[in-house]
Amino acid sequence: MERKSPAFDPHTPNIARLYDYLLGGKDHFPADRAAAAKMLEVAPELRAAIRANRAFLGRAVRFLAGSGITQFLDVGTGLPAQPTVHELAREIAPAARVVYVDRDPVVLVHARALLAGQGGTTVAGGDLRDPGAILADPSVAAALDLGRPVGVLLTAVLHHLGDADRPEEVVASLRDALAPGSCLVLSHGTSDARADAVHTITEVYESTDAPITLRSRERIAGLFEGFELADPGLVWLPEWRPEEADALDFPDGPESSLILCGVGRKG
């Protein structure tokens, strides 16, 4: 069944704009800011958590590039944030190629405008619920050599798939299409965080164009089936190979970041 992309509606909170607002961007509307305010009332650490997620992405991309990965597939990329994935990768691997995928037409317009004229980058429309269609997209197939390792980035996106969307099967489909040595970078909101925050965050996301399903540590660990986790394993955002340059303060402990993350390599 064909899945429709979300239509532009400034009156309904949009996940990409909400994330942009929490990151300190400028591409958002009153509905997005109101939704964020409801969550921040009970989980003021959410803003730091979103920034910690972006910082984790940066560390993970540099780790992959330093490990020899020169191809990246960023699914659910969201509105462009600085530094971009291709900028991060090219700090270490100047010839790195990056494919950005999102289902939101507004995100695609922004991404294409930002990347116009830049070689080695591709923007494609696609829904994570149909990974086969993403990989079969002619622009993706032209940009990525699936016979060589690819770094797949699924940061803060899989929790927008409900259980009926079979997230484990989605990840398995991507894994099976990848060459040995490919890597999965994943972060996922967890129900193991504070119960009051989890309840409110889930409730607010129900009013957006991308409801959220928070999962247990065990369920999130299961998404890495077929991948060998790099040290330090599946951990809270600020615990994954922390660097002083992007350290954020979580006074109540790393679990206040609300999101678990890890990097796995296909054997």
Side-chain angles (χ1 to χ4, degrees):
M1 183 176 70
E2 182 181 356
R3 295 181 184 276
K4 294 182 179 180
S5 299
F8 174 73
D9 178 6
H11 304 296
T12 298
N14 168 272
I15 184 58
R17 299 194 307 257
L18 187 59
Y19 194 86
D20 176 76
Y21 172 70
L22 291 168
L23 272 178
K26 58 183 184 342
D27 296 308
H28 40 76
F29 293 97
D32 309 304
R33 297 190 287 273
K38 289 180 183 177
M39 292 188 285
L40 290 169
E41 282 180 10
V42 297
E45 65 269 37
L46 181 60
R47 193 185 297 275
I50 295 299
R51 292 176 178 173
N53 184 69
R54 189 70 193 179
F56 159 69
L57 172 65
R59 298 194 301 273
V61 168
R62 289 193 295 269
F63 170 71
L64 264 57
S67 302
I69 300 288
T70 59
Q71 304 184 104
F72 295 85
L73 177 64
D74 183 8
V75 185
T77 185
L79 288 165
Q82 299 297 327
T84 61
V85 170
H86 65 276
E87 288 169 338
L88 290 162
R90 290 173 187 170
E91 290 176 12
I92 297 167
R97 289 180 288 164
V98 179
V99 175
Y100 297 96
V101 179
D102 207 288
R103 71 188 187 107
D104 188 326
V106 175
V107 167
L108 297 175
V109 168
H110 277 261
R112 286 173 177 140
L114 175 70
L115 300 175
Q118 296 196 35
T121 58
T122 300
V123 178
D127 193 318
L128 181 57
R129 295 171 181 85
D130 192 351
I134 292 174
L135 296 176
D137 183 293
S139 64
V140 176
L144 299 178
D145 177 2
L146 295 182
R148 298 192 301 111
V150 176
V152 176
L153 314 179
L154 301 179
T155 54
V157 62
L158 276 168
H159 50 225
H160 293 296
L161 271 60
D163 288 341
D165 295 314
R166 304 185 300 277
E168 290 86 357
E169 292 182 24
V170 167
V171 177
S173 294
L174 289 169
R175 180 199 65 218
D176 292 347
L178 300 175
S182 295
C183 292
L184 172 66
V185 175
L186 185 152
S187 62
H188 194 302
T190 178
S191 52
D192 293 350
R194 286 197 295 113
D196 56 342
V198 164
H199 175 75
T200 300
I201 289 170
T202 302
E203 188 176 62
V204 173
Y205 269 105
E206 286 294 329
S207 70
T208 74
D209 62 347
I212 197 168
T213 300
L214 301 176
R215 296 182 171 94
S216 68
R217 174 182 287 270
E218 182 179 8
R219 285 286 306 279
I220 297 170
L223 295 168
F224 282 100
E225 184 177 353
F227 294 91
E228 182 181 353
L229 278 166
D231 288 337
L234 182 64
V235 295
W236 299 104
L237 289 172
E239 295 178 324
W240 199 89
R241 299 178 181 242
E243 296 176 1
E244 188 174 349
D246 60 20
L248 290 160
D249 186 26
F250 290 97
D252 296 326
E255 63 273 16
S256 300
S257 66
L258 309 173
I259 296 174
L260 291 167
C261 65
V263 175
R265 183 179 297 273
K266 179 178 176 178

